[in-house]
Each structure stands twice: as C-alpha cells, then as structure tokens.
C-alpha cells in the first residue's frame, strides 16, 4: 500500500480506525469501558473524550471505520467530510436521523417495500408528531419525483435491495430527484453492505445501517449507524446522538469491529451460497417465484448490475400451496433456523407476513402471505441446498 493510493475495501475494513495502540502496541483496539475521562484542566481533554455518551474511543474507532467503508466515490477514493455516527440499534439510528432533519409539517417519501420497523416508525411515531409520508415503488424514480411536495419534502428514503422483495433502486436517478426537490436521499444499505454497494458514490447524502445484520455478522450485537457527508447535517445528527443518547456500548462497538474485519470474505461466501440456493429454487416445481437482485426478471436488475459488486445473501421466494404450505416449509428445515433477523454467518428462514413484516400487515407495504425469506449463511452450499430441497419436497 503506497501512500498515494487509496487502500481497497478489505484493507480499510481491517485497518481504518484500528491502528495498533500507541502506548501498548496492542494490534486490536481496546474495549474502553470507562464512562468518564480525566481532564488536564477544566474543559481540557487530552484525548478529546469527556463522557462516554458524548464520545468513547471504541465507538470512535468503529465510526472511523464505517466512514472509511461508505464514504467513497466511484473510483474508490474518499469523499470529503464523511462521518459515521453509531447508535444502539438500526431503528435508533433512523430515529436520530429523522428527528435531526424533520419538523412537524414536513413530509418524507418512503419505499413501498421496506423493513417493517422503518414503516412503523414513520407511520405510527412520526405520524403522531405531524410528519406525513407518501409511499413510492423503489424501482420507479418517476413515482418518487411525483411524490415530492415542494417546500415540505425533506427526505427521500429507500432501501436497496429492499426487505423482503429484493427490489433495487436506481440510486443516481433518485439522488437527482431528491436534490431537485431540495431533499436528502437516504439509503438503507443494510442488505447490500458497503462491500457490495456504496450509495454515496451514486449521490446519496446519507446511508443508514442496521449494524445488527451483516456488519456485525455474527448475530450477537444489536446496533445501528448513520453515515452522512453534509457538515451541517452531520453536526445535527451528532448533536442528537448526544442529546438523545441511544448509543451502543463499547463492547457492542468492539464486537462490530471484530465482525467488520471479515466483512469482505463473508460477503463473497454469502453471495456464492445465495447463487446456489437461487438455482435450486428456480429448478424446484413447488416454487412459484424467486426474488433475487441477480435474476434478470428482478425489479431493478439493471440497477443492481450497475451499482452492486455482487447480489448479496438475501433470497425470497413464493411457494405453491399458499400460506399454510409456506409455514410448513419454514418449520421443516434443519440447517436454516426459523427466526427473525439476517446477515449472520448462520442461515435463517422466516415468513415475513407473520414475522418481520407483521407491522405492515394491511398497509401499502403488505407482503404476500406465501413469501419465504432466506438469509443465506456461509455454511457449505451443498448442505444448504439439500436442507431446502428436503423441506420443499416433504
Ligand atoms: C433490521 C433492519 C432495520 C432495523 O435495525 P435494528 O438494528 O433491528 O433496529 C432497518 N433496516 C433494515 C433493512 C433491517 O433489516
């Protein structure tokens, strides 16, 4: 690595924010549990830290790493002023972002397919607070443009790929539309991770993550992040992070950094395994439809080809025989564990309509009741395929 070239993704994942400790030489960042930091004189902070809600060295290491992973242009070079701020969960991150940008009377555009908790936050919490929303399909930029209300629309929010239908948005088209409406484009990049897609390179102003999923990667930490690049916006979110205080613990930050070091190799394996699973599902007579960004018929496939390094580890499909049959398949696998969440090394299976997306039942975001969602893990692909085919053929 020469000083004048930007290190590649895997190098940044292992080194950004994680230089060996200057006093001890420790290669791995310490877990700084201290809540308070000694001052040299009143208000004189030798390391810049004062109190661990406001700032903590382990959290700062994670924030520096995330900013280095997301804040790049199309050539992979760092974008100026990018900062990451970490939170106690993905929803705490989203909440801090919403409350940093929105006031009563403002309006947001959200996707017609999204994590149920994001919709619940917008509809049931922000709604009571006087913020209105319009739902638009992620793969239809024209619908986002038409949904903008001049002077009131402050955020256009997309997931890409979406949860659980795996539609992909044309991020540069949406960035142009958001900016023409004087709104910020926010991309929930949880499914793609910065390894597969870097929304800021395509013009997004803000990236949010449920760090709980692929970034943590081992189903043992709940955490979230907002990454932004407009200095005033960053300041406001940082103010809210401290003022509202939904910060992750130092141990959570340390676990997340430990996960991120292997993000690149994990994602490659997730993608390879997902491809094998998709092929098996496409060939199975009990499967009606498969949703995966890598399939030519998938919503936004052309955008996925342009924007994504590969297509990820999330796969959804519909089975013949309706909701009861889908429930039986979910209960019938052995390696695929029936459970919510995603992005860990182990494979998970779930029924969105009754589980992760029960909060959008009967809304504009409702999902088919025979839809099964898989988080394809990094076990041996042949074992995963055999497990699924077994449950489908039972
Ligand atoms: C899980 C998830 C969230 C919410 O994150 P938490 O860490 O559970 O609060 C937001 N967006 C997407 C796409 C998710 O999958």
């Amino acid at each position: 690595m020469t000083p004048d070239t930007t290190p590649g993704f895997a190098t940044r994942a292992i080194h950004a924010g994680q230089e060996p400790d200057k006093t001890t030489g420790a290669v791995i960042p310490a877990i700084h549990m201290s809540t308070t930091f000694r001052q040299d004189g009143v208000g004189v902070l030798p390391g810049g830290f004062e109190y661990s809600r406001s700032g903590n060295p382990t959290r700062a290491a994670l924030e520096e790493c995330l900013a280095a992973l997301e804040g790049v242009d199309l050539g992979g070079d760092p974008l100026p002023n990018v900062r990451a701020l970490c939170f106690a969960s993905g929803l705490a991150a989203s909440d801090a972002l919403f409350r940093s940008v929105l006031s009563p009377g403002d309006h947001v555009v959200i996707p017609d397919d999204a994590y149920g908790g994001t919709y619940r936050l917008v509809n049931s919490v922000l709604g009571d607070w006087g913020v209105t929303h319009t739902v638009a399909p992620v793969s239809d930029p024209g619908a986002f443009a038409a949904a903008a209300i001049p002077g009131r629309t402050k955020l256009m929010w997309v997931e890409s790929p979406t949860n659980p239908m795996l539609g992909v948005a044309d991020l540069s088209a949406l960035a142009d539309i958001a900016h023409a409406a004087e709104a910020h484009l926010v991309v929930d990049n949880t499914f793609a991770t910065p390894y597969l897609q870097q929304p800021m390179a395509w013009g997004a102003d803000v990236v949010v993550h449920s760090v709980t999923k692929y970034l943590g990667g081992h189903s043992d930490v709940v955490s979230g992040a907002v990454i932004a690049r407009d200095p005033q916006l960053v300041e406001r979110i940082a103010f809210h992070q401290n003022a509202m205080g939904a910060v992750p613990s130092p141990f959570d930050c340390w676990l997340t950094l430990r996960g991120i070091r292997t993000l690149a190799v994990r994602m490659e394996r997730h993608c390879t395994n997902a491809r094998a699973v998709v092929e098996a599902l496409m060939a199975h007579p009990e499967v009606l439809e498969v949703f995966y960004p890598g399939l030519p018929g998938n919503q936004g496939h052309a955008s996925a080809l342009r924007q994504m390094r590969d297509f990820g580890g999330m796969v959804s499909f519909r089975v013949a025989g309706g909701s009861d049959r889908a429930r039986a398949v979910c209960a019938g696998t052995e390696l695929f564990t029936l459970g919510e969440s995603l992005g860990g090394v182990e494979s998970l299976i779930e029924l969105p309509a009754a589980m992760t997306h029960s909060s959008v039942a009967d809304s504009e975001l409702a999902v088919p009741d025979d839809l099964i969602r898989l988080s394809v893990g990094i076990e041996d692909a042949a074992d995963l395929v055999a497990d699924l085919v077994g449950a489908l053929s039972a």
Side-chain angles (χ1 to χ4, degrees):
M1 165 166 89
T2 57
D4 57 349
T5 58
T6 308
F9 184 91
T11 306
R12 282 177 281 142
I14 291 168
H15 294 285
Q18 305 172 76
E19 293 308 312
D21 187 83
K22 286 197 179 59
T23 52
T24 64
V27 168
I28 296 304
I31 308 174
H32 288 279
M33 295 302 287
S34 189
T35 56
T36 188
F37 298 83
R38 187 183 61 81
Q39 308 197 1
D40 283 348
V42 175
V44 183
L45 312 173
F49 296 100
E50 183 175 23
Y51 179 62
S52 272
R53 167 165 39 73
S54 317
N56 170 279
T58 315
R59 191 170 91 219
L62 172 59
E63 291 176 340
E64 188 180 334
C65 183
L66 285 173
L69 296 185
E70 284 287 3
V72 294
D73 64 19
L74 285 180
D77 290 321
L79 290 165
N81 301 323
V82 173
R83 255 184 80 190
L85 295 152
C86 290
F87 293 87
S89 69
L91 282 177
S94 304
D95 178 43
L97 172 62
F98 282 131
R99 287 204 262 171
S100 300
V101 176
L102 302 172
S103 306
D106 287 343
H107 172 257
V108 296
V109 185
I110 56 167
D112 69 348
D113 181 30
Y115 176 65
T118 304
Y119 177 75
R120 183 175 55 201
L121 180 59
V122 169
N123 187 50
S124 308
V125 179
L126 297 179
D128 283 350
W129 204 52
V131 170
T132 58
H133 68 271
T134 304
V135 165
V138 277
S139 54
D140 181 1
F144 273 76
I149 305 175
R152 283 184 54 206
T153 304
K154 299 290 163 59
L155 290 179
M156 292 198 178
W157 183 290
V158 285
E159 275 175 27
S160 189
T162 59
N163 182 357
M165 303 303 291
L166 297 161
V168 175
D170 178 341
L171 297 181
S172 56
L174 288 181
D176 289 345
I177 287 164
H179 297 155
E182 293 179 16
H184 294 296
L185 176 66
V186 182
V187 178
D188 181 335
N189 203 29
T190 299
F191 271 33
T193 81
Y195 181 67
L196 298 179
Q197 168 178 277
Q198 299 175 319
M200 284 188 175
W202 300 96
D205 303 287
V206 185
V207 172
V208 297
H209 276 283
S210 173
V211 167
T212 314
K213 313 295 170 48
Y214 287 104
L215 288 170
H218 297 74
S219 305
D220 53 11
V221 54
V222 173
S223 182
V226 180
I227 301 101
R229 56 175 166 170
D230 170 70
Q232 279 179 320
L233 179 59
V234 166
E235 272 319 305
R236 275 193 68 75
I237 302 165
F239 172 80
H240 280 75
Q241 182 195 40
N242 182 47
M244 307 196 302
V247 292
S249 74
F251 184 54
D252 287 346
C253 296
W254 186 87
L255 275 177
T256 303
L257 275 171
R258 181 187 167 114
I260 287 175
R261 280 181 217 123
T262 56
L263 181 64
V265 289
R266 281 190 284 112
M267 291 315 296
E268 282 175 15
R269 181 66 168 256
H270 282 296
C271 293
T272 311
N273 283 0
R275 246 190 300 281
V277 162
V278 165
E279 269 175 35
L281 291 173
M282 300 282 289
H284 202 285
E286 297 289 305
V287 173
L288 298 178
E289 214 176 345
V290 181
F291 303 92
Y292 187 63
L295 291 174
N298 208 69
Q299 222 190 101
H301 174 65
S303 302
L305 279 176
R306 190 169 55 246
Q307 286 164 199
M308 298 178 72
R309 189 198 294 254
D310 202 338
F311 304 112
M314 298 301 296
V315 179
S316 295
F317 65 102
R318 294 178 54 221
V319 283
S323 161
D324 288 344
R325 176 89 185 106
R327 280 170 191 261
V329 172
C330 288
T333 53
E334 280 173 17
L335 277 178
F336 278 86
T337 302
L338 177 57
E340 303 206 355
S341 200
L342 60 108
V345 292
E346 70 292 326
S347 294
L348 297 173
I349 188 167
E350 67 123 359
L351 193 72
M355 294 172 63
T356 49
H357 288 68
S358 58
S359 59
V360 297
D362 304 322
S363 80
E364 297 153 285
L365 279 75
V367 296
D369 64 2
D370 58 3
L371 185 82
I372 294 174
R373 191 190 75 180
L374 304 175
S375 173
V376 180
I378 64 171
E379 301 95 333
D380 288 289
D383 294 332
L384 296 178
V385 167
D387 187 33
L388 274 177
V389 169
L392 278 166
S393 310

